[in-house]
Amino acid sequence: MASGEDDDPVIEEIDVYLAKSLAEKLYLFQYPVRPSMSTYDDVNHLSAKIKPKQQKVELEMAINTLSPNYCRSKGEQIALNVDGATYEETNTYSTKIMDKQTFTSIQATTNTSRFAAAVFRKGELHITPLQGILQLRPSFTYLDRADGKQRERDAANEGGDSSQDEAEEDVKAITVRFSRPESEQARQRRVQSYEFLQRKQAEESWVHLHYHSLRDGRSEHERQYLYCQNMDASDNSELVKTPKEYLAMLMPPMAEEKIVRPTGPSNVLSMAQLRTLPLAEQIKTLMKNVKVMPFANLMGLLASGIDSTAVLRCIQQVALLVQGNWVVKSDVLYPKNTCSPHSGVPAELLCRGRDFVMWRFTLERWLMRKEVAAIIKLPPEDVKDFLEHMAVPRINRGWEFALPNDGNFIKKHPDVTHRQQMLWLGIQSKLEKVFNFNKDDFIPKNTPLQESVHVSGEQRLKAAQERARQSQTSLQRDLLAKKREAPPGSDVQVKQEPLSDGEDGEQPMDTSAAAASLNGGVNGHSGAGSPASDHANGTAPPAELRDFVAKTFKKDSVLTLSELKRLFNLHLASLPAGHGSALMAVSDRMLQDAILLSQCKQILVPFPPQSTAAPDEQKVFGVWETGDAWDKHRRLLYELFSSNFRVRRKVIQTRLAQEFGDDLAKTDVDRLLKECCGSLSGWWYLKGTTQS
């Protein structure tokens, strides 16, 4: 078998020379609107000029007015429109006919370092680098001049009726105004404006040239400069390279691309720019901008594949743990030797006051601004600034911590939580000395609800079923009595009641641990409003209501309380007259008890503080147990949405693969998401929680 060199023999070797005589003067002209076989070589060139800095060229060429393809009447009309009927030396067309046209150039490319002109002679190839590549197209500026002439004629006609003997105009007062000094920002905007660039380009003067035709002696003389004048190899060192140097030129080493930062405000950093920073700087920048953030959200903002242990190590350097969420440290926001932008208070005092606010939020969810200001003794603007960093105001209730208590993080990272508690003990001892207070002064008094016993959902469900069986007889008697008393065909609506006496109807349901202890068990019921106590009082959900709820959750695995009430009202409206008396006066509490008795549980979705969802829209229930193989998948999905208001599909797939193996098909994931969730802008939400 023949070798590779025998298969591809060298036929001819050609010497290559680099000609430099015209290296900075050679331009390539292109005529994109002209066919390649129809050149301008034989056309009479009347004038030529160039702006070297802008590489802008204008050529004026004659038009053959005797050609059979030339319309003489059109040419005369154009000349008349441009120059008018009178003859002047400044006329564009001195022969009263359009007998020439102007070509104006634009740059085909700004980087011509890869382009050259080459000539081949006697087995030698001579190449000359190009200074520029210009495309010339016909210019229609004469039409602008024609429009200008028309406007002048119209103005003359309008002013022709005025009398020459008209009295002089009255003397008018002139107001003299002085322009203000131009700011740096205004100057930059002016320099970058299109008008300024046009004016700068117009400032460069034209250099007039003399055109020589293709066969002119001067042209032939200049063409000789396309050949290398000195054939000595020492003068062509650019083309004499060692094999290693030549290979490096063919395949240059990879160089880091210079990131061109888009112009924008100095305090704004894009995610693409952020991810070019070291991990510690990324976290510090995010925390300085967001101020307070759950750990799960922080991991979502960072690039995928980053180790959570490394993130935990970095976050503890710039933030402190408050109610399971990370709040940026005060010395990060107020570095040493700085002061308040509102009052000029030194950074040391600001850090001390803000640390006190953060420490108070480790003890309770609510603070009153007046109480805080009375202790730290800082201006009201600074105190409000501290609170706005980590809390939201509630009418007549003070300031509430901005995020729900992240119990999942506390359970998963007990070592980090313990370390943060030790840090807070140290901060507390310093604050006690500075502000002269005792921790016991801030422990909430008369809070028996905080010591309530938490009962699991399964225990409450069993208790509810037992009491329902015990009170079945009395319930039937009450239902029959109500049925006899109710007028036929009366409209029945769900009675609107608050979930518990202690819950504010205008406030959205809180998903924090503190709020959960106030509301009772994991399903959001207080002790007084639980299914067990309802059944003991003889107000258990009617069988018809439980049957409706069970059928509804068979169709939809996830529903909000608001959506279930809407479906229930539609169900009542569809019943014939005289039916549905047993569903008279159904309350919110009774409806929720029926949900819990239908193998469903409440999902504590952490709605964002800025959410506009109504309280009933924030109560989300999902099917917990149906007996099929998908129960465990649904529970895992509910767990994800218990710590995140919205989740990416990739996160869901990764978690399912970790728990149930990689053999879970894409169609199975699609089925689960379609059953329980809805998507918007690449995010997945539980049904009914999507924010419009």
Side-chain angles (χ1 to χ4, degrees), residues 586-606:
V586 173
S587 66
D588 288 5
R589 185 180 302 149
M590 192 181 297
L591 187 61
Q592 292 182 74
D593 291 344
I595 296 173
L596 299 178
L597 293 172
S598 302
Q599 305 297 329
C600 300
K601 286 191 178 182
Q602 183 174 344
I603 308 163
L604 301 180
V605 179

Side-chain angles (χ1 to χ4, degrees), residues 51-69:
K51 289 186 176 183
K53 292 182 180 178
Q54 301 176 37
Q55 293 192 4
K56 187 175 182 180
V57 173
E58 276 193 10
L59 298 179
E60 211 171 63
M61 300 187 191
I63 299 177
N64 184 11
T65 58
L66 301 178
S67 170
N69 299 321

Side-chain angles (χ1 to χ4, degrees), residues 502-514:
E503 184 176 79
D504 189 351
E506 296 182 358
Q507 296 297 326
M509 182 183 66
D510 199 334
T511 57
S512 65

Side-chain angles (χ1 to χ4, degrees), residues 113-252:
S113 60
R114 297 167 49 245
F115 298 93
V119 290
F120 187 75
R121 182 182 67 176
K122 299 179 181 180
E124 299 171 349
L125 185 67
H126 299 257
I127 59 176
T128 303
L130 289 175
Q131 177 69 9
I133 301 177
L134 307 180
Q135 292 183 348
L136 286 95
R137 292 178 171 84
S139 173
F140 299 97
T141 53
Y142 60 87
L143 296 178
D144 298 332
R145 288 194 288 273
D147 292 340
K149 286 285 186 181
Q150 182 63 37
R151 284 192 293 269
E152 290 176 5
R153 286 193 291 268
D154 294 342
N157 293 334
E158 290 177 2
D161 298 334
S162 61
S163 174
Q164 297 295 328
D165 300 330
E166 194 173 289
E168 293 185 1
E169 294 183 0
D170 297 336
V171 177
K172 295 182 180 179
I174 299 176
T175 303
V176 179
R177 296 180 181 177
F178 298 93
S179 61
R180 292 180 296 178
E182 187 180 34
S183 64
E184 181 63 24
Q185 188 177 9
R187 191 191 70 81
Q188 290 180 358
R189 284 199 301 267
R190 180 176 59 81
V191 169
Q192 294 175 0
S193 66
Y194 176 75
E195 182 182 358
F196 181 83
L197 294 176
Q198 288 290 97
R199 190 162 58 249
K200 290 292 289 183
Q201 290 180 359
E203 288 177 359
E204 184 181 0
S205 58
W206 288 102
V207 177
H208 291 271
L209 308 173
H210 184 72
Y211 176 80
H212 296 272
S213 63
L214 180 65
R215 299 173 184 83
D216 189 82
R218 179 65 183 271
S219 298
E220 189 64 36
H221 174 75
E222 292 293 331
R223 271 197 292 273
Q224 296 302 315
Y225 288 113
L226 292 174
Y227 300 101
C228 183
Q229 302 301 308
N230 194 339
M231 311 293 281
D232 189 5
S234 60
D235 291 337
N236 281 274
S237 57
E238 293 89 345
L239 302 180
V240 180
K241 302 291 181 184
T242 63
K244 187 175 181 180
E245 291 173 337
Y246 184 66
L247 185 61
M249 292 174 65
L250 286 178
M251 299 181 64

Side-chain angles (χ1 to χ4, degrees), residues 79-88 91 96 149 153:
L80 180 63
N81 293 340
V82 173
D83 297 329
T86 59
Y87 175 79
E88 297 177 2
N91 282 359
K96 297 295 183 180
K149 286 285 186 181
R153 286 193 291 268

Side-chain angles (χ1 to χ4, degrees), residues 49 87 90 290 293 360 460 503 552 560 580-581 625 669:
K49 54 185 178 179
Y87 175 79
T90 58
V290 182
M293 190 189 310
R360 285 290 303 274
R460 296 176 66 252
E503 184 176 79
T552 303
T560 62
S581 301
E625 188 174 353
V669 178

